[in-house]
Amino acid sequence: MSKLQELIRELCPEGVEYKKLGEICEIKRGARITKAQVLQKREGKYPVISGGMNPLGYLNDFNRDENTITIAKYGSAGFVNWQKEKFWANDVCYSLFPQKILNNRFLYYILCNNQDYLYQLVNRDAIPYHLPQIHIEKLYIPVPPLEVQKEIVRILDHFTNLAAELQAELQARKEQYEYYRDKLLSFSVVNEGVSVTWMKMSEIGTFIRGNGLQKKDFTESGVPCIHYGQIYTHYGTFASKTKSFVSEETAKKCKKAHKGDLVIASTSENVEDVGKTVAWLGEEDIAISNHTLIFSHNQNPKYLSYLFQTEWFAKYKKRKAVGVKVIDIPQKALEDLCIPIPSFTEQEHIVSILDKFEALVNDLTEGLPAEIAAVQEQYEYYRNKLLSFPRTKISA
């Protein structure tokens, strides 16, 4: 029998009492500060938390201590987070301060387990959406003895720390991969001695602009298609299956990408995503939306797609991109882009190396992402199991 089972059998064999969160926890809204005010300060030590994943900015002052639970009131309303360091709580998020009968970290895990429920409490008739404090206060939560809470926290922290270690490892491997990829494709040090010819894209292939396909045209099945927005939200370096489909009638009106073609997002909301490229490796021709370019060529498609991921290309598109709210990379800029073309044998060699890195850091079915997903699934399973208690009674 595990230590937790022994504690439950000894301290709460008949179940635990459930109480309203508002009865056993103080819920405080933060103090207003605008993004303009944060930017005016320019720098600071303490993050300004509005409730979402990323800080609004940084200040040299704080109004909350470390190890505090926050819940977003507006924006990503209902999102639960754990603040590891001192911070400034903005007025668009709540901070939670439980009474002594409730372990702070235990409460955090309870709220994470009720994340979907909190999202359902958000007032979506209001603009902007918001989560009223009174709804949070009415949430019933289990209150087992502190010894039981602490043991559950110890177990769940183990999974959390393991996931964090894997994430840190993944980030380190990504940085290593990006560094090596850029060196490998620069033909400066790693590939010193390899013979390459620098050629314009227009000299090795042709560009065709996509047309007409919209999200409303998607069907459950039919002709495979790629919408430009999916290139930077769904696809990686290459693909042989599509996420979406269109009817044969719609597909007849669309430009098609063939096996080996590159599909390039020519429009985005930011410079980082514009120019994002996926090599199509499927056997079927696929329909392509507007705001995309199809590049048909006579080179290794994966090799070209990897080139479009390099820091070298990122710098090039920053110089050539146009627009403010909507960013475009002109077809002419891509046609004039000079790229290194080694022999086909060398291209295959480079691709074989980068494919291994790609699988390690990006493949959801193997490598570190798969391991992280497995730990996260295990964590959520045990969190749900450990935080489900039979009830003795519910406080009024």
Side-chain angles (χ1 to χ4, degrees), residues 41-232:
K41 303 288 184 181
R42 293 190 177 275
E43 59 182 21
K45 179 180 179 181
Y46 305 105
V48 177
I49 301 298
S50 295
M53 286 288 291
N54 301 313
L56 183 66
Y58 292 84
L59 296 175
N60 280 319
D61 195 11
F62 66 92
N63 59 9
R64 299 287 186 267
D65 287 324
E66 63 270 24
N67 301 327
T68 297
I69 303 167
T70 57
I71 301 178
K73 175 177 173 60
Y74 292 110
S76 53
F79 176 72
V80 178
N81 206 356
W82 176 264
Q83 308 301 334
K84 297 179 180 179
E85 56 186 328
K86 292 180 174 65
F87 66 101
W88 181 278
N90 205 352
D91 66 335
V92 294
C93 79
Y94 301 110
S95 301
L96 279 65
F97 304 94
Q99 296 177 8
K100 291 183 179 181
I101 63 170
L102 202 57
N103 180 290
N104 196 25
R105 188 72 172 166
F106 175 80
L107 175 59
Y108 166 71
Y109 285 124
I110 285 286
L111 293 172
C112 287
N113 215 41
N114 285 274
Q115 182 74 84
D116 290 341
Y117 178 73
L118 288 171
Y119 286 146
Q120 293 173 16
L121 298 178
V122 174
N123 182 355
R124 302 193 181 279
D125 293 328
I127 300 177
Y129 298 159
H130 73 276
L131 176 60
Q133 181 171 331
I134 191 171
H135 290 354
I136 305 174
E137 292 172 344
K138 291 181 178 179
L139 176 66
Y140 280 100
I141 65 167
V143 188
L146 279 171
E147 291 86 344
V148 173
Q149 294 181 37
K150 291 177 181 177
E151 179 61 14
I152 290 174
V153 166
R154 185 191 68 79
I155 296 170
L156 295 179
D157 274 352
H158 168 74
F159 286 107
T160 301
N161 293 335
L162 178 57
E165 289 172 5
L166 288 172
Q167 285 287 0
E169 174 73 8
L170 177 60
Q171 182 59 34
R173 290 290 173 262
K174 280 185 175 180
E175 292 174 1
Q176 182 186 41
Y177 164 48
E178 290 168 2
Y179 173 83
Y180 190 73
R181 180 195 63 209
D182 287 0
K183 286 290 186 183
L184 192 63
L185 294 174
S186 69
F187 297 94
S188 56
V189 178
V190 179
N191 266 343
E192 188 175 359
V194 174
S195 176
V196 299
T197 302
W198 288 80
M199 303 177 69
K200 289 184 178 181
M201 296 285 286
S202 60
E203 294 178 301
I204 63 171
T206 57
F207 287 91
I208 301 173
R209 188 169 293 277
N211 67 310
L213 174 62
Q214 300 180 46
K215 288 182 180 179
K216 66 180 182 180
D217 297 321
F218 290 168
T219 56
E220 292 295 322
S221 60
V223 178
C225 69
I226 290 181
H227 185 270
Y228 80 96
Q230 296 172 338
I231 298 174
Y232 41 79

Side-chain angles (χ1 to χ4, degrees), residues 185 187 196 299-308 339-342 346-348 350-351 354:
L185 294 174
F187 297 94
V196 299
Q299 303 298 314
N300 186 304
K302 282 189 178 183
Y303 170 77
L304 295 180
S305 192
Y306 280 126
L307 275 175
F308 274 76
I339 63 173
I341 303 294
E346 186 59 31
Q347 289 183 35
E348 290 179 359
I350 292 171
V351 166
L354 295 180

